[in-house]
Amino acid sequence: MRVRLGLWLERLCGRPWALGLAAGGAYLLLSLLLLAPTLPSFGRAVPGGLVAAADGWQNVWNLWWFHRAVTTGLNPFFTRMIFYPEGADLLGQTLTCTNGLLLLPVTALFGPVAGYNAAVLLSFVLAGMGGYALTLHVTGRPLAAFVGGCVFTFAPFHLTKVWDGQLELSTLQWLPFYLLFLLRCTAGDGRWRDAAAAGVLLAIVGYTSWYYLFFAALASLLVAALWLPYRAGARVWLLALARLAAAATLAVLLIAPALPSLLGSATELAGPSASAALLPLRSATLLDFWLPSNLHPVWGAWAQSLGAVWHADIAAWNVALGYTPLALALVALVRMRGAAWRWLVLAGAACVLALGPTLNIGPWKTGLPLPYAALAALPGGNISHRPSHFVVIACVALAPLAGLGLNALLARTAVRWRGWLLAGVLLALTWEFLPPRWNLWAPTPHPYYDVLANQPGALLVLPAAAEDLRPLIDQMRHGRPLMGGLLARAPSYDPPQAPGMRELWRPEAGPLWMLPTVREDALTTLNYYGVTQIVIERTRMQPGEAAALDSVLAWLLLDAPLRYEDARLRVFQVPAAPPRGFAFFRTGWYPEEADGKHSWRWMRARGEIMLVNPSAVPWPVAVQLGVESYLNPRALDLAVDGAALGRWTIPAQPRHFTRIMHLLLPPGEHRLLLQAPLEAELAPSNRHLGIVLTDITVRYHVKE
């Protein structure tokens, strides 16, 4: 029996799929040990640091929305559940639809928190398998491949992204699989199915993280330059190049549905945080790579205090590569230079890009320009406004380097000592990559949100806070659309400007004199936009905010029924009101100004005024505008819903121009667009000025 069992095990271990399965089981066991403190709260809490308390729950909401959209037949890449009623495009956000699709059964059965934690667990297992497969391709040795997988999946960078709750960055498992098939495309005996796999995997990388797509695309160029078989003959070289081109073409075709949204949201993706002033703050310094992980339970606090000196304005600066992987990479370079140098170039290039536009050495700023500065100057090059994240490519490259280094050590070690050597390497990695002491974040929504669940209409939750994630956490209980919201990359959404909504949204701002609000207009607005309840979260308000909001509510709602009240929550039912036409300023206007007798509002190059007919039949409306022009006369073009109304020539101040327009408005919202050139020089008010609106009157002619 023992002989037969031994023969069976020998045959099984000789099969690559069996070794891979065993490696996967080992990665699963190690990942469960790593996340053991979080397992009792698998369906209730998100693990990580302070950043995860926000970013982690943002990604839980992403999984919740993806499941809701897919199971109800909605488009998962666009939602009106937040930033209502305009909604938000989610393709350029951190939606990570690959996680949503992969974890759809878990989310459906156990909820989005369990889906999030399952995605984190799976990222460690699959990243280990990806590192294993890539290292096995390079070394041909399963033991070296297993160590390579450990080096990648338990790298400090991966742990940091989990610690920060950034699911789109912690699910980095697709990168080594992509590089594996990309390498197979460059081989002389590569196959077209390798190109197909590489193209599909690159698209998966993109739909997981647009940052990683950008990194992988740059890495692909370097891989092609380093690994193409230049000396194998023109035919072999051309075939390899054709496979690479096919992989790129397939990836572009698969990503094509997302390209319009990505191009349209390029400003949000790059954003103000991509400015030259902020890029150095989000770049690595040369000393960062040599620091130990700041998440280590023993020396992490020391590393954190040291690194925080030169990273005072950013939390996610941990790019530690690990001393054990670096030592193995050094051995590979010395003993197996022919196989290792390309991987060293790839890792080095990624680290140089991670340093950002200029070289910083700890707290010392040298000002020496680096390649990232040229990259950021290219159109769309600054889309990656966190250069330090380029280190993920170095982490991938370290896996085969570590495997090659271990192979070199094993080859020079006596057979009887090889087991001890392997055990020593694994112990060194285990000690160096020990996980942090996990915090658990489990906010508790108010139970009354269960009562509000599945009722018609949207909720206006107050106070409005641009950076407050709690309304989204509550939304996963009540499932109602929300005014406002929070996304990783803020969309171009103005706070509600319609009558009544603007006073509730910013009660401390005071009333407007131009297009002032009357109570009937306010109730019409809330009815028109489908807001059926106003929810006041008392514990989220400052005393001054509460007094200002109570004053607005007393004027606006009067006898509106109070549906619920306790020390934390007040819920008002919005009463129905007869429809009245209303108007409000939208985008393109500076804040209103006044001198005690008159009020005015300066326009940017384009200004929008919304005219709303809340009835079911067309209404005639008269719009009277009083305008002046700054310094010089200028042409003012007007249009309604894209249809030109004409051009007015506005005289320079102090001359005044007034005109009345008569329109017939169908039911719904209509955009009155005003366009005029601005002065090239900054005005004394430090603004580009052109047209100033000194008077506006909107009268709807409705038969009672």
Side-chain angles (χ1 to χ4, degrees):
M1 180 63 70
R2 291 181 180 178
V3 174
R4 291 180 180 178
L5 181 60
L7 290 173
W8 180 79
L9 288 174
E10 184 178 350
R11 291 174 182 174
L12 189 63
C13 292
R15 297 177 180 178
W17 64 266
L19 292 173
L21 191 62
Y27 293 130
L28 175 60
L29 178 61
L30 292 172
S31 302
L32 289 172
L33 291 173
L34 179 108
L35 298 171
T38 74
L39 297 181
S41 302
F42 200 77
R44 295 185 297 105
V46 167
L50 286 174
V51 178
D55 288 6
W57 279 95
Q58 172 72 69
N59 283 292
V60 171
W61 184 90
N62 287 339
L63 293 172
W64 171 83
W65 161 249
F66 190 89
H67 168 262
R68 182 185 179 96
V70 170
T71 55
T72 57
L74 299 174
N75 177 7
F77 304 117
F78 182 86
T79 182
R80 283 193 170 86
M81 294 298 290
I82 54 176
F83 300 104
Y84 181 85
E86 288 94 341
D89 191 331
L90 300 180
L91 262 175
Q93 299 292 333
T94 59
L95 181 62
T96 62
C97 57
T98 52
N99 288 320
L101 194 61
L102 192 62
L103 278 304
L104 193 63
V106 178
T107 304
L109 293 174
F110 306 106
V113 179
Y116 173 91
N117 287 319
V120 169
L121 175 63
L122 200 61
S123 77
F124 282 107
V125 177
L126 291 181
M129 291 299 298
Y132 174 90
L134 180 61
T135 308
L136 184 64
H137 174 79
V138 174
T139 65
R141 299 290 182 86
L143 289 178
F146 179 74
V147 170
C150 289
V151 165
F152 177 62
T153 194
F154 301 119
F157 179 81
H158 193 185
L159 284 173
T160 299
K161 295 302 106 183
V162 175
W163 180 255
D164 290 340
Q166 296 167 348
L167 192 64
E168 79 283 4
L169 298 175
S170 63
T171 48
L172 42 69
Q173 61 263 26
W174 309 115
L175 286 169
F177 286 112
Y178 166 66
L179 284 180
L180 167 63
F181 284 97
L182 193 70
L183 284 179
R184 293 175 65 167
C185 287
T186 64
D189 58 349
R191 301 180 181 181
W192 290 102
R193 65 186 183 190
D194 296 328
V200 171
L201 284 164
L202 184 57
I204 291 174
V205 168
Y207 281 113
T208 303
S209 168
W210 301 117
Y211 287 159
Y212 287 168
L213 175 65
F214 183 60
F215 301 163
L218 292 179
S220 301
L221 298 177
L222 194 54
V223 167
L226 292 172
W227 271 276
L228 273 175
Y230 298 104
R231 300 180 181 179
R235 182 177 179 277
V236 174
W237 181 84
L238 286 174
L239 281 174
L241 191 62
R243 286 191 292 270
L244 293 176
T249 302
L250 179 59
V252 170
L253 290 175
L254 292 174
I255 295 171
L259 288 179
S261 294
L262 288 178
L263 295 175
S265 61
T267 302
E268 286 79 16
L269 282 170
S273 55
S275 67
L278 289 177
L279 277 177
L281 300 176
R282 292 170 173 172
S283 302
T285 80
L286 193 59
L287 296 183
D288 292 341
F289 303 117
W290 309 103
L291 282 178
S293 173
N294 60 29
L295 297 178
H296 197 278
V298 176
W299 55 65
W302 169 81
Q304 177 68 30
S305 62
L306 182 62
V309 173
W310 55 80
H311 290 289
D313 299 311
I314 186 171
W317 56 266
N318 187 5
V319 295
L321 298 174
Y323 300 122
T324 305
L326 287 173
L328 291 173
L330 180 62
V331 172
L333 183 63
V334 172
R335 295 295 179 184
M336 305 186 73
R337 186 178 299 109
W341 72 268
R342 293 179 179 85
W343 293 104
L344 185 67
V345 170
L346 182 61
C351 289
V352 169
L353 289 173
L355 292 172
T358 57
L359 177 63
N360 295 328
I361 306 174
W364 300 285
K365 297 175 172 55
T366 69
L368 181 68
L370 293 174
Y372 187 89
L375 179 65
L378 297 175
N382 64 348
I383 197 171
S384 166
H385 58 264
R386 295 186 182 271
S388 63
H389 289 9
F390 268 102
V391 78
V392 70
I393 300 299
C395 293
V396 178
L398 272 179
L401 279 172
L404 289 170
L406 181 61
N407 268 357
L409 289 176
L410 290 173
R412 298 177 63 85
T413 303
V415 175
R416 66 177 181 275
W417 297 110
R418 288 178 183 176
W420 291 103
L421 174 64
L422 179 62
V425 169
L426 291 174
L427 283 174
L429 284 173
T430 301
W431 172 247
E432 190 172 2
F433 290 170
L434 277 178
R437 296 180 177 91
W438 297 105
N439 302 317
L440 296 175
W441 305 100
T444 54
H446 194 286
Y448 192 74
Y449 283 116
D450 291 332
V451 178
L452 293 175
N454 302 317
Q455 295 186 21
L459 295 182
L460 178 55
V461 179
L462 302 171
E467 298 299 325
D468 195 351
L469 185 69
R470 288 171 294 184
L472 270 67
I473 297 174
D474 299 334
Q475 187 184 47
M476 289 186 279
R477 292 285 290 268
H478 61 69
R480 305 272 295 279
L482 289 174
M483 305 291 293
L486 179 65
L487 286 172
R489 304 176 183 106
S492 55
Y493 174 81
D494 286 336
Q497 299 293 317
M501 287 187 179
R502 64 183 174 226
E503 287 81 8
L504 291 167
W505 196 260
R506 293 286 182 265
E508 72 283 356
L512 295 179
W513 296 102
M514 307 185 78
L515 294 178
T517 296
V518 297
R519 178 178 182 270
E520 290 78 5
D521 287 350
L523 293 180
T524 293
T525 299
L526 294 169
N527 291 167
Y528 176 76
Y529 288 111
V531 177
T532 54
Q533 284 100 26
I534 298 175
V535 180
I536 314 297
E537 286 276 0
R538 287 177 160 180
T539 56
R540 302 177 191 174
M541 302 180 68
Q542 301 298 324
E545 288 182 303
L549 185 56
D550 286 344
S551 176
V552 172
L553 287 169
W555 162 74
L556 174 64
L557 297 181
L558 293 180
D559 299 325
L562 181 63
R563 291 191 54 177
Y564 180 82
E565 183 175 21
D566 62 16
R568 173 178 166 183
L569 208 67
R570 297 172 74 194
V571 181
F572 290 92
Q573 183 72 31
V574 176
R580 290 168 51 95
F582 59 92
F584 58 94
F585 292 100
R586 199 171 182 274
T587 60
W589 300 92
Y590 289 108
E592 184 177 302
E593 302 171 67
D595 60 4
K597 294 182 179 179
H598 305 93
S599 58
W600 61 91
R601 198 160 190 174
W602 287 97
M603 189 181 82
R604 303 176 192 269
R606 294 163 52 95
E608 289 183 346
I609 298 171
M610 299 299 296
L611 307 173
V612 183
N613 173 4
S615 75
V617 296
W619 279 356
V621 61
V623 181
Q624 177 177 308
L625 299 178
V627 291
E628 299 173 4
S629 179
Y630 179 70
L631 288 183
N632 301 301
R634 53 178 38 82
L636 175 65
D637 293 308
L638 298 98
V640 171
D641 297 336
L645 293 179
R647 170 174 290 184
W648 299 349
T649 301
I650 311 302
Q653 292 175 323
R655 295 183 62 190
H656 187 74
F657 183 94
T658 301
R659 181 165 293 184
I660 299 177
M661 297 178 292
H662 295 277
L663 307 169
L664 183 64
L665 295 183
E669 292 183 333
H670 304 277
R671 297 173 187 263
L672 174 60
L673 176 64
L674 291 73
Q675 298 185 83
L678 300 175
E679 289 297 319
E681 298 293 331
L682 281 174
S685 59
N686 201 32
R687 296 174 296 183
H688 287 280
L689 302 183
I691 292 294
V692 59
L693 187 65
T694 59
D695 177 59
I696 178 171
T697 305
V698 180
R699 292 188 179 91
Y700 288 86
H701 302 286
V702 183
K703 293 181 179 180
E704 299 294 339

